[in-house]
Amino acid sequence: MDSQRCRRVVLVSCPFQGHINPMLQLGTILSSKGFSITIVHTQLNSPKPSKHPEFDFQPIPEGLSKQEIACGNLVDIILALNERCRIPFQKRLIQMMLQQESHDEITCIIYDDLMYFSEEVANRLNIPSIVLRTSSVASLLSRLAILQLKDEGYIPFPDAMSQDQVPDFRTLRFKDLPICEFGTPKNFYQLLAHVCDIKTSSAVIWNTMDCLEESLLAEQQLKQFPIPIFTIGPMHKFAPACSSSLLKEDSSCIEWLDKQDPNSVLYISLGSMASTDEKELAEMAWGLANSKQPFLWVIRPGSTLGSEWIESLPEGFMETVRERGCIVKWAPQRDVLAHPSVGGFWTHCGWNSTLETISEGVPMICRPCFADQMVNARFVSHVWRIGLQLENQLERNEIERAVRRLMVDEEGEEMRKRAEDLKEKVEACFKKGGSSYNSLSKLVEFMSSQ
Ligand code: UDP
């Protein structure tokens, strides 16, 4: 590493909470290793520069209208981002290159795998690029499996096959495959092919750990053209102070948690995008109330269809649960999961939430909603066996049973023990000498030699 040169790295983030978090964590990690960081981001869901004075932020217009965003068709939104950001990104990079001093050259572009237009621009301008994968190796393999099954004519599959194992990926059933229901199949497969193919990029940074996915990584290396892969997860543990919430965190829930017994509270959050309808909300509410367990529930404004916030909670619910329940709009999730009172997490199994939960040794109730969440839920419940999955329509008796299985029964205690064991393995990965720690050192060397 040339200490005279300030190596600038341009990070291209994708405008969703579950993608902004790992990208800004990566920025924080690389900044601590001496790189100068520029974050290129869209105007949509712009991160807050004031929270990261160490970064240079460069917004680019993505040109999405309010209607396009409101339609909620994620596939079309991501395809549009890739179409519309390419030229503004290229212009911005050229501007930066014209202004750059010799000691501040852009040495590398790191982009979120959903923002694949970045690779094309980097290649055109002769700048090395690296892709950041913010979901699991299993989820990439499941995407490759979908593309193959489609070529072989297995997709779309009939309902009768939904419980069958996927031939090349037996951990998953057909119903666990992240086949998207948004938009047209043609657009979905187009997006999938782009995201799986890293084209001219020279390496992959993966927010995962060898102790979780080593054998899957070996399989991935066999299936795709092998290039260096740096598994440096869980990245939030390398950047504990990095905070990038788009919504305001309500820390009052920590005071509420302080008053609860150890391991007694069920934390519930379905992440930044998933939503429920009023009926599901009512079933969840009564299931929680009838379980008699204390709970901390994140209900995002607008996350119940047709409701601003919690006005569609069923009548009598608040009076029934009283102080046993705490409801917030957005929580400081990593602090919540690390709190000794939290004994379980009802999660949608987004990859960040899954990593954050595993890192704290908390067992889970999995209720995946879409995309890679189904794959993560399968691994949590059937491979690592640190959670149980709620599979059928949400129904209060089933919810009550699931909560008690996790929080009260012997079965939940065993899951908690396995979760604690896994937490120790994860700690060994990111502590000095561990696989993620070493991988990060190799990444820094690799980037310095670009
Ligand atoms: N999160 C948070 N507070 C909340 C709910 C979620 O800080 O009340 C964070 C969570 O810690 C995670 C991210 O939002 O880092 C959600 O990402 P994930 O991949 O789990 O799910 P997504 O939102 O992408 O579906």
Side-chain angles (χ1 to χ4, degrees):
M1 205 191 300
D2 180 352
S3 57
Q4 296 305 303
R5 274 176 68 205
C6 178
R7 296 137 309 139
R8 180 157 298 280
V9 183
V10 173
L11 305 187
V12 184
S13 76
C14 177
F16 307 116
Q17 185 72 72
H19 291 255
I20 293 169
N21 288 3
M23 190 56 94
L24 293 196
Q25 286 155 11
L26 180 64
T28 305
I29 295 168
L30 293 177
S31 167
S32 77
K33 301 287 177 190
F35 293 93
S36 303
I37 304 296
T38 295
I39 307 278
V40 170
H41 62 90
T42 55
Q43 282 161 343
L44 168 70
N45 286 342
S46 160
K48 298 190 178 81
S50 59
K51 282 192 180 173
H52 303 274
E54 73 279 26
F55 300 155
D56 163 44
F57 284 89
Q58 297 283 345
I60 50 171
E62 79 289 332
L64 284 173
S65 66
K66 280 203 174 111
Q67 289 95 310
E68 282 174 300
I69 297 163
C71 79
N73 179 341
L74 279 180
V75 170
D76 286 359
I77 289 178
I78 298 165
L79 286 173
L81 282 175
N82 278 282
E83 271 306 308
R84 298 180 203 174
C85 289
R86 192 185 309 117
I87 302 289
F89 179 49
Q90 182 165 318
K91 280 190 186 155
R92 186 56 55 89
L93 272 183
I94 292 173
Q95 249 172 20
M96 286 170 70
M97 288 162 84
L98 288 174
Q99 286 164 1
Q100 76 194 1
E101 312 264 336
S102 60
H103 66 273
D104 193 28
E105 281 168 19
I106 299 171
T107 52
C108 172
I109 290 170
I110 303 179
Y111 63 97
D112 188 296
D113 65 4
L114 294 185
M115 304 294 266
Y116 52 81
F117 69 89
S118 317
E119 177 275 338
E120 192 187 323
V121 174
N123 192 26
R124 214 178 277 164
L125 300 182
N126 226 356
I127 305 172
S129 69
I130 298 179
V131 61
L132 171 66
R133 297 242 184 248
T134 61
S135 52
S136 62
V137 180
S139 97
L140 181 84
L141 287 174
S142 71
R143 288 171 176 155
L144 292 174
I146 291 174
L147 290 173
Q148 190 183 336
L149 289 166
K150 183 187 156 268
D151 285 348
E152 292 168 355
Y154 285 103
I155 290 181
F157 59 86
D159 275 356
M161 266 175 79
S162 67
Q163 295 284 347
D164 293 358
Q165 289 176 326
V166 174
D168 239 13
F169 199 167
R170 307 194 79 80
T171 308
L172 301 185
R173 304 159 298 179
F174 273 80
K175 67 187 276 196
D176 301 316
L177 287 170
I179 298 173
C180 193
E181 287 134 28
F182 303 110
T184 64
K186 179 170 162 272
N187 285 359
F188 170 62
Y189 292 115
Q190 184 192 339
L191 177 62
L192 212 56
H194 275 299
V195 171
C196 290
D197 182 4
I198 59 158
K199 303 188 186 86
T200 62
S201 294
S202 55
V204 179
I205 300 172
W206 221 312
N207 193 13
T208 188
M209 297 79 93
D210 289 0
C211 70
L212 281 188
E213 301 206 283
E214 200 168 19
S215 58
L216 296 177
L217 266 170
E219 205 178 316
Q220 183 272 337
Q221 291 282 56
L222 289 177
K223 289 198 165 148
Q224 294 202 293
F225 186 73
I227 54 168
I229 291 186
F230 300 98
T231 47
I232 62 165
M235 292 201 300
H236 69 278
K237 286 289 181 186
F238 287 105
C242 176
S243 138
S244 43
S245 278
L246 296 167
L247 296 176
K248 192 174 173 330
E249 295 174 352
D250 182 347
S251 297
S252 66
C253 60
I254 300 290
E255 285 148 41
W256 180 84
L257 283 174
D258 287 341
K259 293 188 212 127
Q260 311 302 319
D261 291 337
N263 280 343
S264 68
V265 175
L266 180 70
Y267 169 56
I268 305 134
S269 160
L270 302 181
S272 62
M273 298 180 123
S275 52
T276 49
D277 59 30
E278 275 188 31
K279 183 167 182 318
E280 289 170 324
L281 187 82
E283 294 302 316
M284 284 174 85
W286 286 124
L288 289 171
N290 298 345
S291 77
K292 307 270 189 299
Q293 293 301 301
F295 61 86
L296 165 58
W297 190 358
V298 175
I299 304 185
R300 279 180 356 259
S303 65
T304 309
L305 305 172
S307 244
E308 298 252 312
W309 187 37
I310 53 173
E311 61 284 4
S312 50
L313 276 172
E315 232 182 282
F317 167 72
M318 290 300 220
E319 296 72 22
T320 307
V321 296
R322 293 163 182 258
E323 284 82 42
R324 193 157 49 73
C326 174
I327 298 179
V328 293
K329 292 180 176 166
W330 192 252
Q333 178 162 304
R334 285 184 274 150
D335 296 340
V336 166
L337 288 168
H339 197 286
S341 297
V342 171
F345 183 12
W346 173 345
T347 169
H348 71 308
C349 290
W351 187 235
N352 294 289
S353 294
T354 306
L355 287 179
E356 289 158 8
T357 315
I358 289 176
S359 304
E360 300 305 335
V362 175
M364 296 172 238
I365 294 177
C366 306
R367 177 67 182 178
C369 301
F370 56 84
D372 64 328
Q373 298 158 17
M374 269 100 70
V375 178
N376 301 335
R378 192 72 181 157
F379 273 75
V380 167
S381 56
H382 281 77
V383 178
W384 307 314
R385 295 168 57 232
I386 52 173
L388 52 95
Q389 186 169 345
L390 272 178
E391 297 226 46
N392 306 322
Q393 263 201 339
L394 286 180
E395 194 275 319
R396 63 190 70 183
N397 293 330
E398 206 183 317
I399 293 170
E400 178 190 343
R401 253 195 316 278
V403 174
R404 296 191 66 80
R405 274 170 71 195
L406 189 80
M407 303 299 291
V408 183
D409 293 355
E410 182 72 29
E411 186 188 0
E413 200 39 50
E414 281 163 16
M415 287 182 205
R416 185 162 299 110
K417 278 195 201 119
R418 284 193 288 272
E420 276 160 13
D421 288 347
L422 193 53
K423 172 186 174 180
E424 279 178 26
K425 288 190 186 138
V426 169
E427 274 173 0
C429 284
F430 68 80
K431 293 233 161 105
K432 196 166 179 208
S435 58
S436 296
Y437 182 97
N438 291 341
S439 204
L440 179 56
S441 307
K442 286 189 195 137
L443 171 66
V444 172
E445 264 173 48
F446 180 85
M447 288 174 60
S448 304
S449 67
Q450 296 268 301

